[in-house]
Amino acid sequence: VNRELMQQAQARLDAKTKPPGALGRLEEFARRMVAISGTGSPDTSKKVIYTFAGDHGVTDEGVALYPKAVTTQMVYNFLAGGAGVNVLARHVGAEVRVVDVGVDNDFGDLAGVIHRKVARGTRNFAKGPAMTREEMLAAITVGIDLAEQCRVEGIALVGTGEMGIGNTTPSSAIIAAISGKAVRDVTHRGTGIDDDALELKIRVIEQGLAINQPDSTNPLDVLAKVGGLEIAAIAGLVLGCAANGIPVVIDGFISTAGALIASELHPNVADYIFAAHRSMEIGHSFMLERIGVEPILDLNLRLGEGTGAALAMSLIEAGVKTLNEMATREQAGVTHE
Amino acid sequence: VNRELMQQAQARLDAKTKPPGALGRLEEFARRMVAISGTGSPDTSKKVIYTFAGDHGVTDEGVALYPKAVTTQMVYNFLAGGAGVNVLARHVGAEVRVVDVGVDNDFGDLAGVIHRKVARGTRNFAKGPAMTREEMLAAITVGIDLAEQCRVEGIALVGTGEMGIGNTTPSSAIIAAISGKAVRDVTHRGTGIDDDALELKIRVIEQGLAINQPDSTNPLDVLAKVGGLEIAAIAGLVLGCAANGIPVVIDGFISTAGALIASELHPNVADYIFAAHRSMEIGHSFMLERIGVEPILDLNLRLGEGTGAALAMSLIEAGVKTLNEMATREQAGVTHE
């Protein structure tokens, strides 16, 4: 990112009709948006949230509260505009784009879906690798392609989201593999499983790590062996946004697992990431720290889909607007300090 | 507030296409908005922020970084739409209404200002009472009248804001007087004063409390002796909103001092209050705890004007929209647990 533009943006913020720094993190959002986009006055009107859908073979182990069919059902709900992410994206003026990267359902050429299916879900990582290396790379490429497309379209701000029954399980597996932390310390209740199911989920992840032996120093190996297709696509989207100078707002726990893979691959990727919120899932804060980003919201959200990203995008936009629209003390005839 | 409607709202949220509780505090906002407004599907389109302007005699003691004239200058900035609150209110679709309740300037019949001046600023509370009891009551009445007007207009959500050079000083004095806490523990840097000025500010507040001997069990006595005209108007607005069943979003440190007065006067007032954010000012968290409200945002804001209220109003509206617009599992054909 452009550090000189960042300093110029802060100097312009300091000339506004407010005490220096008084808009707190809104000022951070504004100067980072300038530095990432490379333009002094970013136009934030074009905002897109990509909601990647994929299924997970590991649900065969009974780790999820809802049946796999719900992933497909929710894709139809996204198209109908009735899901949480639809409501919140409309509220903030963002567009939701639904990407089938790995749903265990044949959507044919259903309109409204971006059809980039790599496989009908991952394999059960408790028994072997979730994906082949080729599948993993194909899913990452989906995200990279979409980021490329965003640059062409002039999208100012990208959000990540996901839908995939069972996908907190691979997310916890990814953190455990990369950090070496105990599975128990990074595994939580997902959509709301009880104590027994939580113990089962921990055992399944431990088994998956023992069987697959992912190389903790190789994020792509971890991703292929215990990750998910939608998580890989998010990793690719984050990488692609960084490569194309597009700010990307990562949603909650699962999106952050994807962003962690991207960030582990290149240290500069974090410069392009905004963390939407602090999830209820334990292990989330650890991932955010490792990436080096501070969450914007803390509203006990745990829905995913891109819901938190939508809300955070509006706050980032608010910061940019203070830079673009507030009067300077000079313009307003306000006495300097 | 209507507890039965609150439970009905939560039941409706639980039927939506999401795990129960997965939208965290957005669900709290939705059910509280229902309970306060008494309508199952609140229409949040009409949102107004009242920015009350007033001056403070205590600035004679040198407690503020900026000269008193800035209060007047900022009123003109509000009218021109160039201030932080204007930008953020536009962003969230709220209207800013500027109320002169105590600016030390003759605005004549200047268009765009709600002219309700009680006095040209308070007196220096380091030397005697800031206001007479009559002035204090008149300023409270301004807020009550405006809340009444909001009911007539069908305003769904009211925000508080203020502009008054020096007004963190009376705010800290109010908390110290009501809580009995040491002035030092509730007094901070306002717009950014240095260590020496902070020591002076603490001494001035201590002197004001010693000279005026406000009755800590009588919020109105505290308000009159060491408060401010805009703080009194905010107290009145909060009281009026509670009386009229209108949810009110309090901004930062100074607005919370006004809300604290209102809340001390009647225990049910807190049911109508949303706290926009956690201010950088020390003493703020204590006030929020005493009122019994949890801040929505934590973005290191310390500008006032209603800037934090604007952002929080949009999040509250987002919560209401999930209730109003999300599909149920039934409607979307999504498998139940």
Side-chain angles (χ1 to χ4, degrees), chain A residues 76 100 105-117 120:
Chain A
Y76 284 100
D100 171 17
N105 180 64
D106 183 359
F107 289 107
D109 56 359
L110 179 65
V113 174
I114 299 176
H115 295 283
R116 294 293 303 265
K117 196 195 293 289
R120 286 184 62 153

Side-chain angles (χ1 to χ4, degrees), chain B residues 125-267:
Chain B
F125 77 66
K127 306 238 161 109
M131 296 173 264
T132 64
R133 186 175 165 82
E134 289 65 36
E135 286 167 339
M136 176 272 294
L137 289 173
I140 284 189
T141 304
V142 171
I144 293 175
D145 288 350
L146 292 171
E148 190 76 33
Q149 182 62 28
C150 284
R151 185 184 49 73
V152 174
E153 289 183 58
I155 307 296
L157 193 53
V158 167
T160 72
E162 41 56 49
M163 177 68 222
I165 293 299
N167 67 7
T168 58
T169 298
S171 301
S172 289
I174 287 170
I175 321 165
I178 286 182
S179 70
K181 281 186 186 286
V183 171
R184 183 172 299 280
D185 294 341
V186 295
T187 303
H188 202 48
R189 296 181 190 276
T191 51
I193 56 174
D194 63 18
D195 287 352
D196 286 350
L198 178 58
E199 288 303 319
L200 170 70
K201 182 173 169 181
I202 291 168
R203 279 203 306 277
V204 166
I205 296 172
E206 285 171 348
Q207 184 183 325
L209 294 173
I211 283 183
N212 290 293
Q213 293 289 324
D215 175 359
S216 66
T217 65
N218 181 344
L220 294 182
D221 189 58
V222 171
L223 180 59
K225 284 174 174 166
V226 299
L229 292 156
E230 80 280 41
I231 298 172
I234 289 167
L237 185 68
V238 171
L239 285 171
C241 283
N244 285 287
I246 302 169
V248 58
V249 184
I250 59 173
D251 189 33
F253 188 64
I254 296 117
S255 284
T256 308
L260 178 65
I261 299 289
S263 174
E264 294 285 316
L265 287 170
H266 196 291

